[in-house]
Amino acid sequence: MPNARHNGVPVNRLEEVLQAAFRDPGHRPEFYRLLLESDLYVVGEAAAAKSGEHMAGPNGQKVSIAGWKRDGKTLVPAFTSLERLSESESRAASCIQLNGRALLELLAPRT
């Protein structure tokens, strides 16, 4: 199978709607809705990890999500499929599959 990263062909509905939202802002509400409903993949581990930020996952388990700091902000790469994760520079031995809403809730600043 050709490397979809280089040819811009969406591999799932979320990517299709992302491209549509980029071209036409009228598709953005659909993109945000689908982003919250879709499963996303992040580099990390479930249960206690030796490094990284530990947070309570959707089922109360501990998760460690990989990210980095840039200009005072934490960046966390999220992928729309395992295929996209495997194509990335972030290839990792372990990843976590989370619903988009759950991921954003985990990453939200705590007050």
Side-chain angles (χ1 to χ4, degrees):
M1 182 171 153
N3 188 333
R5 178 174 110 174
H6 298 293
N7 62 20
V9 175
V11 297
N12 54 46
R13 180 73 179 137
L14 180 58
E15 291 183 10
E16 290 172 3
V17 176
L18 171 62
Q19 288 182 356
F22 180 77
R23 289 187 305 271
D24 177 0
H27 289 279
R28 289 180 185 168
E30 179 185 9
F31 167 71
Y32 291 127
R33 179 190 54 76
L34 196 55
L35 178 67
L36 294 175
E37 295 172 358
S38 296
D39 285 337
L40 301 173
Y41 299 85
V42 293
V43 176
E45 296 179 351
K50 292 184 171 121
S51 64
E53 188 170 345
H54 297 278
M55 298 167 274
N59 296 322
Q61 79 274 26
K62 295 287 183 183
V63 296
S64 178
I65 296 176
W68 67 91
K69 296 269 187 195
R70 184 172 186 177
D71 297 328
K73 296 181 181 183
T74 301
L75 304 174
V76 175
F79 301 89
T80 62
S81 68
L82 287 174
E83 178 182 353
R84 291 296 190 211
L85 175 62
S86 69
E87 293 171 350
S88 76
E89 298 295 323
S90 299
R91 285 181 228 128
S94 63
C95 69
I96 302 169
Q97 177 183 353
L98 289 168
N99 169 271
R101 184 180 309 278
L103 177 60
L104 292 174
E105 288 172 357
L106 279 175
L107 297 175
R110 304 283 183 234
T111 56

